[in-house]
Amino acid sequence: MNHRRFLTILAAFVLLETTGCTFSPAPSPDDSSSPAHSSAAPLVQEGPIRLYASQNSDGVYHHITVEDEKTGRSRGYDWQTVSSPGYEPLVYQTDLNEDGEAEAVVITTRGYGTGTYITEPHIVDWNSTRELDVQDPLDYTRDQVSFSILHQEGKQIVQARVPGQPAVALPVNTSHSAELPQFGSVIRYYVDDHNKLNAEVAAQMSDGVAVGTVILQYGWQTGALRVEDIKLEAVAS
């Protein structure tokens, strides 16, 4: 799914506000208000990679097991992902740590709702079955992107800027407000056509409307996946 398709879906989340849709977060791992159920069939299978969940409570799958059908290797992880249809985990196989062997990349959905969609990446190194560290996209975005209001020909224009890149004008009506966009409610991970991990972070107004998107691309640096490229785009008004 490209970022323009993603922003169309985000706009649909905002429209759902009139139906009373709210954020549906995953409960904490020790939530035991509902009985646990084992999953006999895999939640997802992509090639030889299968995902199983040992619990499904309050609309959330808990304790995910990743299994490589080809090699027989498997391990359970204390992950969570919503169980709503259409929000199944995404699974990729690609070499992100440049060791010559493909890792299992699992993208889970932590929560979704009106103007909100947050996913989490889990990269399993099969040599050690440990998870690789991924730099936080929200901290990086907030550190790199700044906003300002300019006054031109009697109008207020909101600009977003990344160091070393041209400023981008955002489609924000600030005629009667000094509100600036915020980050944090929409974070979407995916693996692109070049087998790179990416994260998209939306710049949103207080009503949940996305006015810009920050696209981060990760690379392997000093033992972790860190942001190596950042792009900022305005949403078409």
Side-chain angles (χ1 to χ4, degrees), residues 15-157:
L15 292 175
L16 286 174
E17 185 171 9
T18 58
T19 69
C21 177
T22 57
F23 178 54
S24 302
S28 60
D30 58 357
D31 188 321
S32 56
S33 58
S34 298
H37 301 280
S38 297
S39 83
L43 302 178
V44 177
Q45 178 163 3
E46 182 65 33
I49 304 300
R50 295 176 174 178
L51 301 185
Y52 294 88
S54 62
Q55 294 183 19
N56 179 5
S57 60
D58 297 331
V60 176
Y61 289 119
H62 302 266
H63 308 301
I64 308 299
T65 295
V66 183
E67 177 184 273
D68 187 333
E69 182 183 23
K70 184 177 180 180
T71 64
R73 291 176 295 189
S74 67
R75 180 175 172 180
Y77 298 89
D78 192 21
W79 304 341
Q80 300 177 30
T81 190
V82 299
S83 59
S84 302
Y87 294 92
E88 294 82 2
L90 300 176
V91 178
Y92 306 87
Q93 293 184 83
T94 185
D95 182 10
L96 294 179
N97 66 354
E98 301 176 358
D99 67 350
E101 297 187 21
E103 288 77 55
V105 181
V106 179
I107 310 297
T108 57
T109 301
R110 194 178 86 192
Y112 64 94
T114 304
T116 303
Y117 180 61
I118 298 178
T119 64
E120 295 180 331
H122 307 281
I123 296 92
V124 176
D125 179 355
W126 282 120
N127 289 324
S128 62
T129 66
R130 71 177 182 88
E131 286 191 65
L132 304 183
D133 291 332
V134 179
Q135 184 177 9
D136 186 281
L138 191 55
D139 288 345
Y140 185 88
T141 298
R142 287 173 172 166
D143 181 62
Q144 293 293 312
V145 180
S146 60
F147 300 104
S148 60
I149 296 178
L150 301 181
H151 298 272
Q152 295 180 355
E153 299 177 354
K155 296 181 180 180
Q156 290 188 160
I157 299 173

